[in-house]
């Protein structure tokens, strides 16, 4: 399961939220005001900061699109 935590709601956190929902992957989203920067976690690995979270979401979207694309010409 992917867990996204962020210190305050922003346009960027809303974009991440929408993208995770669109990709239909198991995820949990929490606001944590004790954080200084956002963090997204998967399988025990953390990606910290806006750039790292954005990169993770972009890579996840690419992976999901590749996985869902028909490879056998059907």
């Amino acid at each position: 399961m992917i867990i996204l935590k962020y210190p305050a709601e922003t346009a960027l956190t809303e974009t991440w939220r929408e993208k995770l929902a669109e990709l239909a992957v198991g995820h949990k989203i929490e606001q944590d005001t004790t954080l200084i920067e956002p963090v997204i976690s998967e399988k025990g690995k953390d990606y910290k900061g806006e750039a790292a979270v954005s990169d993770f979401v972009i890579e996840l979207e690419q992976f999901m699109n590749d996985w869902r694309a028909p490879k056998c010409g059907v």
Side-chain angles (χ1 to χ4, degrees):
M1 174 179 284
I2 296 168
I3 301 171
L4 170 64
K5 295 182 182 181
Y6 56 89
E9 187 75 34
T10 66
L12 193 53
T13 59
E14 184 59 27
T15 298
W16 298 331
R17 177 190 305 274
E18 290 171 0
K19 187 53 66 178
L20 290 172
E22 177 186 311
L23 293 172
V25 294
H27 65 278
K28 181 178 177 181
I29 301 172
E30 303 175 352
Q31 183 172 359
D32 183 346
T33 57
T34 64
L35 292 175
I36 296 171
E37 58 187 358
V39 60
I40 197 164
S41 305
E42 181 188 40
K43 297 178 184 174
K45 184 166 180 167
D46 295 337
Y47 304 86
K48 297 179 182 178
E50 288 182 351
V53 173
S54 290
D55 288 347
F56 177 88
V57 173
I58 290 167
E59 289 176 19
L60 177 63
E61 180 179 25
Q62 183 62 50
F63 172 81
M64 293 301 293
N65 288 340
D66 289 348
W67 182 72
R68 291 176 177 154
K71 302 279 189 210
C72 62
V74 176

